[in-house]
Amino acid sequence: METRVTDNPAQSRYEIFIGVEAAPGASVAPPLRPTELAGFADYFVSGDEVAFTHTEIDPRFGGRGLGGRLTHAALDAVRERGLAVLPYCSFIRDWIAKHPEYVDLVPEDRRDAFGL
């Protein structure tokens, strides 16, 4: 499954796109876009902090690990920018808890407030 994560600053969110393929054995495929928006992670930037507020994966694409791929890419992008993360979104917060190598993105004095 081919995916792509991009930052969409105009909508303050990271977006994950999935490649769309015709069904195997389909004799006539409907016109399809090469990629389709599968989900997003909303954020708000204030100074040197990025507050993640909501993450959503389209139910049609659920159960494929796309939320984790989206979170991983978004947090890597934030790290590259040298910004801190405030995981108000429970999905982002839980993902960080399961991947302790990302806890350092959350300011040390705020980790207890997020259960990290």
Side-chain angles (χ1 to χ4, degrees), residues 5-6 11 13 20 27 30 32 34 37 45 52 54-55 58 60 64 84 88 90 94-95 99-100 103 111:
V5 175
T6 60
Q11 292 192 4
R13 67 188 198 177
V20 178
S27 58
L32 297 172
L37 179 65
V45 178
F52 284 94
H54 178 71
T55 301
D58 186 312
R60 294 177 298 138
R64 300 182 190 187
Y88 291 105
S90 60
D94 291 346
W95 193 91
H99 298 85
V103 171
R111 291 178 192 164

Side-chain angles (χ1 to χ4, degrees), residues 5-15 40-46 49-55 70 74-75 77-78 81 83-89 92:
V5 175
T6 60
D7 183 7
N8 181 344
Q11 292 192 4
S12 296
R13 67 188 198 177
Y14 284 91
E15 300 172 332
F40 57 88
D42 289 328
Y43 65 81
F44 177 81
V45 178
S46 179
E49 297 176 328
V50 178
F52 284 94
T53 58
H54 178 71
T55 301
L70 171 61
L75 294 179
V78 170
R81 294 174 57 192
L83 302 175
V85 170
L86 302 178
Y88 291 105
C89 167
I92 301 279

